């Protein structure tokens, strides 16, 4: 199941086990196959890559402009490396889609969005137990947060500042 | 004290709703027990030997009278009329029911409290010097820093699924009363020698547990304004690189150890250099907003000494002794801080009944600007008391069994819950503490021995801080029998040290005798004015070991 902030979404990407991507319009390849897949790319074709949470940013940085999607693998919900890797990818200027791929839980949805992910790809085993409306409801439990720089607007420190400025002005 | 604004209030209410929803999803099977576990842990709910346990955060150990009364009420209504103050200045209830937890969280939110992140692989409740704002050796009050970190670390989107738990402590004084060197991050406020600005010395990689380590300095002088960005850099390096293959090697101390301090520091500094500080750090107005809550209360102008106090002391040796042992000099003339011992001989260290909590809340309201502190040594503090009020307070504490004059002495023992409550325990710790306290109960004897910290853990996880006890006692299990290992020379202060093993395995009944033996060596060998720990540092373990060998030969 694929989810984005608006609910269930359809996955238009085609997984490929290796670099043989033919002319699939949106081809998602494993990290190991990326250099070859990029070399095989045909005009108009978009490439996405699946990377592990342990990937060092330096290894992928130069390739970011070539990529339309990066799917970061979460081997388990408890392995939070993907959140930090997502932050580093955004900081390095990646503007394509960021996907969290793995058995995340509903309660991590908001965190993932704040860290720069656009969507979550869940394996069937977790999707079966955690229907889409639970994911939406979980988002509604997470309002403003204390950290600055995570997600758009909505952080408490900036809201306090805005209130201070408004009071000073009025 | 800090007070919630509308944002803090909403944030905590949202957590209560969120947890109610999580409990519902667990009960209807949407969440597996495995998936529910980190969620309940992040709300302080443990599954223990007999029941669920609820751990309530007391950020940097500061409580108001109103909050302490609410804890007393919760203890009565949902538990068995008592609670247990921990070495991380939290309060634990040992018998609540899971279905009551959302309601308890609601009652806590009513008094601006929560259980957020008192457990789990996240940044835990932040602790600080319990004499913050009072101590004469203070350079700057650590509480505004601790509060800023409390907020910043709450529900951190990036750092809530760390390799392992993460503990931060802050001190602003010369003497370290917050054990910062045994924390994942320890912050010490100090002045820069050239600019005279207050800065942070940042240590990383301290921790106890099965591989005890003392924190190492990664930054000598961090400008205060850069705090949150620097913490973010440390946390990101740890989150990405900390080991996840073995939970016993997952703390940041192991990463620092395996990477080497120099390389670890380089990685943190490299990450920090990439960050845009001004978009991450709290702006100065926010820092001052928080700091304003910790402005000193409105003290009366009083003389340095109180004749009323001196008369009362002269007329009552027990009171005199209590004042000598349980009070601490205050910045403000005519005031003192009182430490209320939760270690009456024969009781479980750190336990307080609901009635006792109410009494302390009342005393704080009458005599100490409604403020109470919890210490990592599991005692309570009334931080701002007039010298002339000490006698009245002592009398009322005495009626509730709270006037033990033993702070810092041999019966002021830190002990974890051990086998009496804890599912992980390999041995009992509370009964050992009780037996030692009974053996050394006599006041003159305690006085003669002087400052001596005994710390007891019921298993290798070291919740009782045994590694940094002057005498540490670790309860293990050998072939189905409890067996106690004794360490010597640990130190929890600015001279932090891990104790060395003196005796590997004693039966429970032998422990008080062993402590006697150690104390006897000290009393025999000490030089004038030398404390126990100074004596151990000077002599090393040899004479203490020799005393045990003689014992074996005699047997
Ligand atoms: C009864 C339930 C408890 C459980 C299941 C529990 C569990 C643990 C575990 C597993 C560790 C080792 C973590 C590690 O090394 O990574 C630990 C450490 C610790 N716990 Fe507990 N604990 C409990 C109660 C307490 C209590 C009551 C206190 C305070 C008296 C406490 C304070 C600490 C401290 C200070 C540490 C050492 C911190 C460090 O390693 O740096 N815990 N606990
Ligand atoms: S040291 Fe061990 S026995 Fe004691 S509370 Fe911690 S986990 Fe339990």
């Amino acid at each position: 199941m694929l989810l984005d902030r608006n609910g269930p979404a359809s996955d238009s990407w085609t997984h490929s086990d290796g670099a043989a991507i033919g002319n699939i319009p949106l081809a998602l390849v494993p990290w190991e196959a990326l250099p070859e897949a990029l070399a095989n790319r045909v005009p108009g074709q978009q490439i996405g890559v699946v990377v592990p949470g342990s990937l060092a940013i330096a290894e992928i940085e130069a390739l970011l402009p070539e990529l339309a999607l990066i799917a970061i693998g979460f081997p388990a919900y408890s392995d939070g490396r993907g959140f930090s890797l997502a932050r580093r990818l955004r900081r390095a200027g990646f503007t394509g889609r960021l996907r969290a791929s793995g058995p995340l839980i509903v309660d991590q949805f908001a965190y993932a969005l704040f860290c720069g992910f656009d969507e979550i790809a869940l394996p069937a085993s977790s999707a079966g137990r955690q229907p889409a409306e639970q994911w939406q409801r979980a988002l509604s439990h997470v309002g403003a947060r204390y950290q600055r720089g995570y997600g758009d607007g909505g952080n408490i420190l900036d809201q306090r500042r805005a209130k201070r400025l408004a009071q000073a002005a009025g | 004290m800090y007070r919630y604004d509308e944002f803090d209030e909403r944030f905590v209410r949202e957590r209560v709703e969120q947890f109610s929803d999580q409990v519902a999803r667990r009960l209807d099977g949407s969440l597996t027990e495995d998936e529910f576990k980190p969620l309940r842990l992040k709300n302080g709910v443990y599954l223990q030997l007999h029941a669920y346990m609820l751990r309530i955060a007391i950020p940097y150990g500061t409580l108001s009278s109103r909050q302490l009364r609410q804890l007393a009420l919760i203890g009565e209504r949902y538990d068995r009329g008592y609670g247990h103050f921990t070495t991380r200045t939290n309060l634990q209830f040992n018998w609540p029911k899971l279905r009551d937890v959302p309601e308890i969280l609601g009652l806590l939110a009513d008094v601006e409290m929560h259980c957020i992140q008192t457990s789990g692989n996240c940044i835990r409740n932040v602790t600080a010097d319990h004499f913050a704002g009072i101590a004469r050796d203070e350079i700057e009050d650590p509480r505004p820093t601790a509060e800023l970190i409390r907020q910043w670390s709450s529900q951190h989107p990036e750092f809530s699924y760390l390799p392992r738990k993460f503990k931060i402590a802050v001190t602003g004084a010369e003497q370290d009363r917050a054990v910062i060197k045994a924390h994942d991050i320890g912050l010490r406020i100090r002045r820069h020698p050239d600019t005279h600005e207050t800065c942070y010395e940042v240590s990383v990689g301290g921790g106890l547990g099965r591989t005890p380590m003392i924190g190492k300095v990664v930054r000598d002088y961090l400008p205060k304004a850069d705090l949150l960005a620097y913490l973010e850099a440390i946390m990101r390096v740890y989150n990405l690189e900390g080991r996840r293959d073995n939970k016993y090697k997952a703390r940041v101390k192991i990463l620092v150890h395996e990477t080497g301090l120099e390389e670890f520091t380089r990685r943190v500094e490299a990450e920090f250099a990439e960050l845009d500080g001004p978009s991450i750090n709290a702006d100065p107005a926010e820092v001052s907003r928080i700091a304003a809550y910790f402005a000193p209360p409105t003290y009366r102008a009083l003389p340095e000494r109180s004749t009323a106090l001196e008369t009362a002391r002269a007329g009552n040796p027990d009171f005199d002794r209590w004042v000598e042992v349980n009070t601490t000099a205050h910045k403000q003339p005519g005031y003192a801080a009182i430490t209320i011992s939760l270690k009456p001989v024969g009781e479980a260290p750190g336990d307080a009944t609901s009635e006792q909590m109410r009494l302390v809340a009342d005393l704080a309201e009458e005599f100490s600007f409604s403020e109470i502190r919890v210490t990592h040594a599991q005692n309570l503090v009334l931080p701002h008391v007039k010298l002339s009020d000490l006698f009245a307070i002592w009398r009322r504490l005495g009626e509730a069994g709270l006037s033990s004059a033993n702070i810092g002495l041999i019966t002021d023992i830190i002990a974890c819950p051990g086998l009496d409550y804890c599912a992980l325990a390999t041995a009992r710790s509370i009964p050992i503490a009780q037996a030692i306290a009974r053996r050394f109960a006599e006041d003159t004897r305690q006085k003669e021995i002087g400052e001596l910290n005994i710390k007891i853990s019921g298993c290798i996880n070291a919740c009782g801080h045994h590694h940094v006890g002057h005498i540490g006692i670790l309860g293990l299990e050998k072939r189905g029998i409890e067996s106690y290992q004794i360490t010597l020379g640990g130190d929890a202060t600015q001279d932090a040290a891990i104790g060395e093993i003196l005796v590997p395995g004693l039966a429970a009944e032998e422990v008080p005798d062993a402590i006697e033996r150690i104390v006897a060596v000290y009393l025999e060998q000490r030089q004038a004015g030398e404390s126990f720990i100074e004596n151990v540092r000077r002599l090393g373990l040899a004479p203490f070991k020799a005393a045990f060998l003689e014992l074996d030969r005699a047997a």
Side-chain angles (χ1 to χ4, degrees):
Chain A
M1 178 166 74
L2 190 70
L3 289 154
D4 64 21
R5 66 183 73 236
N6 302 314
S10 62
D11 190 356
S12 25
W13 288 82
T14 307
H15 278 268
S16 157
D17 289 338
I21 51 175
N23 57 2
I24 306 169
L26 299 167
L28 186 56
V29 303
W31 168 242
E32 299 71 36
L34 182 64
E36 209 185 324
L38 284 173
N40 293 346
R41 178 165 48 171
V42 298
Q45 190 175 32
Q46 297 206 22
I47 309 281
V49 65
V50 182
V51 300
S54 57
L55 183 73
I57 182 80
E59 291 190 62
I60 196 173
E61 207 161 357
L63 301 174
L64 295 180
E66 316 290 323
L67 298 168
L69 177 135
I70 299 175
I72 300 177
F74 282 73
Y77 72 86
S78 54
D79 184 337
R81 283 177 297 187
F83 296 116
S84 286
L85 180 57
R87 293 276 295 169
R88 281 192 167 168
L89 287 169
R90 289 301 187 205
R91 186 172 73 207
F94 180 64
T95 52
R97 279 190 92 66
L98 254 187
R99 173 181 290 188
S101 206
L104 272 75
I105 54 178
V106 166
D107 307 276
Q108 294 175 312
F109 195 16
Y111 291 168
L113 297 178
F114 294 151
C115 287
F117 285 104
D118 299 297
E119 57 195 31
I120 316 273
L122 282 179
S125 56
S126 354
R129 279 183 288 107
Q130 304 179 79
E133 72 270 10
Q134 284 189 4
W135 292 76
Q136 286 307 116
R137 193 167 72 229
L139 281 190
S140 73
H141 286 138
V142 183
R145 61 213 156 271
Y146 287 107
Q147 303 76 19
R148 298 179 68 211
Y150 288 81
D152 300 326
N155 82 71
I156 293 174
L157 270 62
D158 288 343
Q159 288 174 10
R160 282 180 181 145
R161 192 216 298 257
K163 207 177 126 189
R164 267 195 298 272
L165 293 176
Q167 275 166 356
Chain B
M1 274 184 67
Y2 187 71
R3 294 301 310 264
Y4 283 8
D5 67 0
E6 68 212 86
F7 300 104
D8 300 309
E9 166 78 22
R10 200 177 316 137
F11 182 88
V12 168
R13 294 289 173 193
E14 277 172 6
R15 302 285 73 72
V16 177
E17 272 174 49
Q18 185 181 37
F19 189 60
S20 310
D21 187 65
Q22 289 162 347
V23 171
R25 275 185 281 131
R26 171 67 197 117
L27 295 176
D28 75 14
S30 301
L31 288 171
T32 63
E33 182 52 34
D34 182 53
E35 288 166 334
F36 178 60
K37 188 175 164 194
L39 304 177
R40 69 166 161 76
L41 288 178
K42 286 198 176 78
N43 285 285
V45 184
Y46 275 81
L47 190 55
Q48 278 308 307
L49 270 186
H50 312 288
Y52 279 101
M53 176 197 94
L54 184 66
R55 189 181 282 166
I56 296 166
I58 304 180
Y60 38 95
T62 303
L63 280 172
S64 66
S65 292
R66 177 161 162 260
Q67 291 173 327
L68 187 54
R69 284 195 191 107
Q70 191 81 328
L71 296 175
L73 175 85
I74 293 170
E76 234 157 43
R77 195 178 289 172
Y78 301 98
D79 204 295
R80 299 185 176 174
Y82 67 95
H84 176 75
F85 289 97
T86 78
T87 46
R88 303 220 65 258
T89 74
N90 294 318
L91 181 76
Q92 283 183 188
F93 285 119
N94 289 312
W95 311 96
K97 303 205 168 43
L98 184 58
R99 66 174 147 75
D100 290 336
V101 171
E103 214 169 294
I104 299 176
L105 295 184
L107 286 173
L108 290 171
D110 290 346
V111 294
E112 305 180 8
M113 292 187 79
H114 58 69
C115 298
I116 298 168
Q117 293 170 207
T118 51
S119 182
N121 296 334
C122 51
I123 302 171
R124 302 286 190 87
N125 183 35
V126 181
T127 52
D129 185 351
H130 49 265
F131 289 142
I134 306 166
R136 291 196 169 168
D137 65 342
E138 187 168 272
I139 296 147
E140 192 175 289
D141 192 334
R143 289 170 301 169
T145 297
E147 174 58 26
L148 185 63
I149 297 174
R150 181 191 74 81
Q151 297 188 18
W152 165 83
S153 62
S154 294
Q155 300 265 119
H156 199 293
E158 186 178 346
F159 307 130
S160 289
Y161 291 85
L162 297 169
R164 201 72 181 86
K165 62 176 170 182
F166 204 93
K167 304 179 180 183
I168 303 180
V170 197
T171 178
E174 313 250 318
Q175 199 192 332
D176 177 12
R177 287 171 287 259
V179 208
I180 63 164
K181 290 288 188 180
H183 283 74
D184 297 274
I185 293 181
L187 297 173
R188 178 162 79 93
I189 302 176
R190 64 196 303 203
R191 273 189 204 289
H192 193 284
D194 305 329
T195 66
H196 302 287
E197 303 262 336
T198 49
C199 298
Y200 298 110
E201 176 193 73
V202 185
S203 302
V204 181
L208 301 174
R210 68 186 63 212
T211 321
M213 286 190 191
I214 300 297
K216 298 168 188 68
V217 176
V218 295
R219 190 52 112 84
D220 286 307
Y221 298 98
L222 178 73
K224 281 187 69 190
D226 286 333
L227 179 66
L228 296 185
Y230 202 80
L231 292 179
E232 186 174 314
I234 296 173
M235 297 313 299
R236 186 163 297 132
V237 169
Y238 171 56
N239 192 36
L240 283 165
E241 301 182 22
R243 286 182 62 172
R244 290 175 187 267
D245 58 327
N246 179 342
K247 92 177 224 194
Y248 300 122
K249 296 194 188 290
R251 296 276 298 270
V252 73
K253 64 191 172 187
I254 304 291
L255 180 66
V256 174
H257 181 71
E258 290 181 351
T259 319
L261 177 62
E262 207 173 309
E263 174 59 15
F264 178 81
T265 307
R266 195 194 61 72
R267 290 182 199 176
V268 169
E269 292 291 343
E271 177 64 29
F272 179 62
E274 292 272 332
L275 297 176
D276 173 39
S279 68
I280 297 167
N281 291 312
D283 60 286
E286 171 66 5
V287 173
S288 339
R289 183 191 73 86
I290 293 177
Y293 287 103
F294 300 99
T298 42
Y299 299 117
R300 293 251 309 271
L302 295 172
E304 187 76 51
R305 297 169 61 173
S306 152
T307 37
L309 171 65
E310 280 159 23
T311 316
R313 286 183 76 163
N316 190 323
D318 287 344
F319 173 61
D320 182 54
R321 176 83 188 129
W322 179 82
V323 173
E324 183 187 334
V325 176
N326 290 37
T327 63
T328 303
H330 200 290
K331 270 182 185 168
Q332 179 71 18
Y335 284 79
I338 296 178
T339 305
I340 300 172
S341 171
L342 295 182
K343 320 288 178 66
V345 169
E347 302 292 329
D351 276 7
T353 64
S354 292
E355 294 94 273
Q356 289 175 328
M357 291 184 217
R358 282 206 186 90
L359 172 73
V360 174
D362 290 347
L363 291 174
E365 195 166 85
E366 266 178 73
F367 300 107
S368 183
F369 299 96
S370 293
E371 218 189 299
I372 302 110
R373 309 275 175 85
V374 185
T375 80
H376 83 266
Q378 306 177 282
N379 294 312
L380 299 177
V381 169
L382 296 181
H384 325 278
V385 175
K386 288 203 217 87
L387 294 177
S388 52
D389 289 333
L390 288 175
F391 191 57
I393 297 174
W394 175 75
R395 292 248 287 259
R396 281 172 58 189
L397 287 172
E399 288 161 18
L402 287 175
S403 64
S404 302
N406 61 355
I407 298 304
L409 302 182
I410 190 165
T411 60
D412 184 7
I413 299 171
I414 290 183
C416 78
L419 204 50
D420 293 284
Y421 298 101
C422 179
L424 303 175
T426 40
R428 291 167 303 159
S429 39
I430 294 171
I432 303 297
Q434 289 166 326
I436 296 171
R438 266 186 234 109
R439 178 69 66 90
F440 290 92
E442 207 205 328
D443 267 345
T444 44
R445 208 155 164 227
Q446 294 199 50
K447 185 176 180 174
E448 190 197 358
I449 298 166
E451 189 181 352
L452 203 173
N453 304 151
I454 298 182
K455 303 182 196 260
I456 310 177
S457 305
C459 82
I460 192 73
N461 287 317
C463 301
H465 287 188
H466 67 274
H467 297 297
V468 290
H470 297 162
I471 299 177
I473 302 176
L474 165 62
L476 298 165
E477 187 226 280
K478 284 186 185 156
R479 284 172 248 100
I481 298 166
E482 288 163 300
S483 163
Y484 294 85
Q485 186 183 82
I486 306 218
T487 51
L488 207 56
D491 190 333
T493 68
Q494 61 282 3
D495 307 313
I498 307 288
E500 288 178 65
I501 297 177
L502 177 67
V503 202
L506 294 174
E509 320 73 77
E510 295 172 324
V511 175
D513 282 337
I515 306 298
E516 288 262 20
R517 195 151 285 273
I518 294 168
V519 168
V521 173
Y522 160 62
L523 292 178
E524 199 183 290
Q525 307 257 357
R526 74 172 159 190
Q527 296 173 346
E530 191 177 49
S531 72
F532 178 80
I533 186 66
E534 288 162 355
N535 181 257
V536 173
R537 270 194 223 121
R538 179 170 63 81
L539 296 177
L541 257 58
F544 297 93
K545 281 202 164 137
F548 279 89
L549 285 179
E550 272 167 40
L551 178 73
D552 286 349
R553 249 179 264 124

